[in-house]
Amino acid sequence: MSKQSGISSKAAQFRESVIREMTRQALRFGAINLAQGFPDFPAPEELKRAAQQAIASEINQYAITWGAKDLRQGIVRKMKVWQGLDLDPETEVTVCCGATEAMISTLLALVDAGEEVVVFEPFYENYGPDTILSGATPKFVSLRPPREPEGEWSFDPAELRAAFSARTRVIIVNTPNNPTGKVFTRAELEYIRDLCLEFDVVAVTDEIYEHILYDGARHVSLATIDGMRDRTVTINGMSKTYSVTGWRVGWAVASPTLTSAIRKVHDFLTVGAPSPLQAAGAVALALPESYYQGLAEGYQRRRDRVLKALREAGFRAFTPRGAYYIMCDVSSFGFESDLAFVKYLVEEGGIAAVPGSSFYKSTGGNQQVRFVFAKRESTLDAVDLCFKKLSEKVTRGNNC
Ligand SMILES: Cc1ncc(COP(=O)(O)O)c(C=O)c1O
């Protein structure tokens, strides 16, 4: 690709984030923001106090570039309790500016130009640009919607196998999954493990929604599957589990060899994550188990409520088993595309959502829309009203 107006060929290959654009649209039209994945309810009091105390007690200068010691120790302790993994905080943990930076630092550290990265589609929007920035070629594998909305999204094992080759360096897995809400089963992860071993591939697994699970679904961490401990980079962070998306604290956990490469890239990209918020992170990671139960129960109530409202309004809403999004098929509304539907919804319906096509490289998703339900009760009351009005306004099968 030739240079356009001094723009690098990498930057020319992707567009601005549609999710963040929808947040701007929500502000412009005064719509409720069910587009970007952040809660509108308060962060836990003890974490806010810990951050304030950290600043007051002069934790205001650079932390160690790969993360404050007590936070790394907290990450390792928590992974022992929840995943049963024994890790070394000195050599296997890198604290970054959010899971976002952990992902791009990992790909830049592991992947060379000309190599391939396997990505499930639909995918969390960032993975496309991340792959391009690392110089790699993404190979997409479909996650197919279930026949019935209550069913599970799935992939075709033969299609996944066909995406692997001698050029494959990394597979990105995201479980629980954004945008589909899929929670990968142990059997699926073992199949991925077999391919990683056969093709000598590293799995980069984004587990940022590990504690947001429904209907008794269980999170299986890829690094705990036999043979994967030293072949997995586990990415996680504070944003979703502790309702602090603006703090920008995340981490990558990997073998010492992979970690030393990730740390170098991280250091020169950002130097480090905000030090007082890392101090508060150490407090967060020591919260009792009941905190995580409360988190999941709160989200289960919100999921049930929004799922019901969407279905009553005429959406074909797929039941998520984890994370805090609902993917819907909107073909019954009769709009020519997801973009047209989302435009109508934000301008006339009072709700900002994300067009499904932004989660696909292929033409998939052009009748899908994603809604976030990480919202307080009063916001969900207003959402109910908007959906009721929408179903009255929109004549099914008739483009308004
Ligand atoms: C799958 C996934 N990974 C990462 C992130 C971003 O995480 P962070 O705020 O830690 O950068 C998000 C945010 O929506 C996400 O959905």
Side-chain angles (χ1 to χ4, degrees):
M1 190 182 286
S2 66
K3 280 219 171 202
Q4 304 164 359
S5 333
I7 304 297
S8 78
S9 58
K10 283 177 183 162
Q13 279 179 67
F14 54 87
R15 59 190 174 198
E16 268 185 49
S17 159
V18 178
I19 298 177
R20 267 79 84 189
E21 164 60 17
M22 287 315 300
T23 289
R24 293 192 288 272
Q25 294 278 326
L27 289 171
R28 179 166 165 219
F29 291 102
I32 303 168
N33 188 354
L34 299 192
Q36 199 172 359
F38 62 87
D40 70 349
F41 46 83
E45 282 305 321
E46 57 267 59
L47 301 197
K48 291 190 283 193
R49 267 198 309 276
Q52 287 158 0
Q53 274 166 14
I55 291 173
S57 60
E58 286 304 342
I59 303 182
N60 293 312
Q61 310 307 329
Y62 300 125
I64 297 170
T65 182
W66 48 79
K69 196 179 181 79
D70 53 355
L71 177 57
R72 281 181 286 116
Q73 286 170 337
I75 292 164
V76 163
R77 217 173 25 245
K78 182 162 172 292
M79 286 188 79
K80 174 72 180 167
V81 171
W82 287 89
Q83 270 84 38
L85 287 168
D86 283 304
L87 295 155
D88 180 355
E90 293 309 322
T91 58
E92 296 188 296
V93 180
T94 312
V95 175
C96 296
C97 296
T100 301
E101 194 240 313
M103 179 61 78
I104 188 67
S105 289
T106 298
L107 291 183
L108 289 171
L110 268 53
V111 179
D112 277 319
E115 293 181 327
E116 291 178 355
V117 174
V118 175
V119 181
F120 289 102
E121 181 190 56
F123 49 86
Y124 171 55
E125 220 192 5
N126 285 29
Y127 301 157
D130 283 349
T131 308
I132 293 166
L133 288 171
S134 67
T137 307
K139 297 287 279 184
F140 295 103
V141 175
S142 302
L143 284 179
R144 295 155 197 230
R147 267 184 229 286
E148 297 305 322
E150 299 79 16
E152 312 302 328
W153 291 70
S154 59
F155 61 86
D156 173 1
E159 189 191 335
L160 180 59
R161 171 165 248 292
F164 277 71
S165 74
R167 286 184 300 281
T168 312
R169 177 74 181 114
V170 158
I171 177 170
I172 298 178
V173 178
N174 170 215
T175 183
N177 184 261
N178 172 11
T180 65
K182 175 180 175 62
V183 176
F184 282 68
T185 64
R186 178 172 292 278
E188 287 171 328
L189 296 174
E190 283 174 351
Y191 185 75
I192 292 169
R193 180 267 320 270
D194 291 347
L195 291 171
C196 288
L197 293 180
E198 184 181 337
F199 290 88
D200 195 15
V201 162
V202 172
V204 180
T205 170
D206 179 342
E207 303 186 357
I208 196 154
Y209 298 102
E210 69 169 322
H211 292 291
I212 304 179
L213 297 163
Y214 313 113
D215 309 325
R218 294 189 78 91
H219 171 65
V220 180
S221 196
L222 192 45
T224 64
I225 303 278
D226 262 1
M228 288 307 285
R229 188 199 180 285
D230 290 339
R231 203 173 260 289
T232 302
V233 181
T234 306
I235 288 178
N236 212 320
M238 294 187 66
S239 284
K240 314 292 175 171
T241 303
Y242 306 108
S243 306
V244 287
T245 58
W247 282 18
R248 317 307 306 129
V249 179
W251 48 86
V253 175
S255 70
T257 311
L258 299 181
T259 293
S260 61
I262 294 167
R263 283 180 174 182
K264 280 190 288 182
V265 176
H266 156 72
D267 188 3
F268 288 106
L269 274 182
T270 65
V271 179
S275 53
L277 304 180
Q278 291 192 50
V283 174
L285 284 149
L287 286 173
E289 205 173 312
S290 57
Y291 170 80
Y292 302 96
Q293 276 162 10
L295 182 82
E297 282 163 15
Y299 276 121
Q300 172 101 43
R301 277 196 302 278
R302 294 180 183 97
R303 184 210 65 169
D304 292 348
R305 177 176 178 176
V306 176
L307 205 48
K308 184 165 172 283
L310 283 165
R311 287 178 179 160
E312 283 172 4
F315 290 85
R316 191 159 183 274
F318 298 109
T319 308
R321 303 290 174 218
Y324 50 49
Y325 308 93
I326 299 178
M327 268 294 247
C328 296
D329 182 302
V330 294
S331 43
S332 67
F333 289 98
F335 283 76
E336 69 187 14
S337 70
D338 58 328
L339 298 172
F341 182 82
V342 163
K343 184 173 184 309
Y344 174 81
L345 198 60
V346 73
E347 290 178 11
E348 309 287 334
I351 290 183
V354 181
S357 53
S358 59
F359 304 106
Y360 290 81
K361 180 74 180 164
S362 65
T363 53
N366 61 8
Q367 284 293 337
Q368 290 175 357
V369 169
R370 189 200 76 174
F371 295 96
V372 177
F373 56 83
K375 302 295 159 194
R376 62 177 94 200
E377 291 296 315
S378 57
T379 307
L380 296 183
D381 291 342
V383 167
D384 276 352
L385 273 181
C386 290
F387 283 145
K388 280 207 180 83
K389 282 192 197 144
L390 177 77
S391 59
E392 285 158 16
K393 267 199 215 164
V394 176
T395 314
R396 291 243 201 131
N398 211 350
N399 195 337
C400 303

